[in-house]
Amino acid sequence: MKNDAFLVNAARGPVVITEALIAALQNQEIAGAALDTVEGEAAIFDKDFQGRPIPNQNFNALHAMPNVMITPHIGFYTNMAIQNMVEISLNDVLAIIDGQPVQNEFK
């Protein structure tokens, strides 16, 4: 990547080797990063760390950098996505109540 490039990851945390990203940022090999997901996010996101440190050294290093933006894996969170989740869930509940097969059954 060019040194004025920004890395954007809204896919999966393991897509990016976090240690390599940190090194590239520290060495100014890339300009910055926007991360909607990070390695080990299950132990970080949706947890309350108020008053205590986040137990992930790589996350803390990235979070401290002024050229890094981190969001809690909410890239999917659009009005249409939420509407679809609600409608699919309600349709499946109605199917169960009516004794019909569920279209979106998780097996």
Side-chain angles (χ1 to χ4, degrees):
M1 294 175 71
K2 294 182 179 183
N3 63 356
D4 61 348
F6 278 75
L7 173 80
V8 177
N9 183 8
R12 295 284 180 256
V15 168
V16 175
I17 300 169
T18 306
E19 290 83 5
L21 173 60
I22 292 169
L25 290 162
Q26 289 172 336
N27 297 325
Q28 297 179 340
E29 294 170 2
I30 64 171
L35 308 170
D36 187 48
T37 177
V38 294
E39 285 183 294
E41 69 182 28
I44 301 170
F45 295 164
D46 298 325
K47 307 283 191 248
D48 182 5
F49 292 104
Q50 191 169 348
R52 56 192 174 106
I54 295 172
N56 184 306
Q57 193 172 11
N58 288 336
F59 177 87
N60 292 328
L62 290 168
H63 189 260
M65 295 180 179
N67 54 343
V68 175
M69 180 176 68
I70 303 173
T71 55
H73 209 155
I74 57 170
F76 77 95
Y77 200 77
T78 64
N79 287 340
M80 182 59 73
I82 300 304
Q83 180 179 337
N84 288 342
M85 286 189 287
V86 170
E87 286 180 7
I88 288 168
S89 298
L90 289 175
N91 288 337
D92 285 349
V93 167
L94 290 172
I96 291 168
I97 290 170
D98 291 340
Q100 300 296 319
V102 177
Q103 281 187 317
N104 302 288
E105 183 178 0
F106 183 74
K107 296 179 181 184

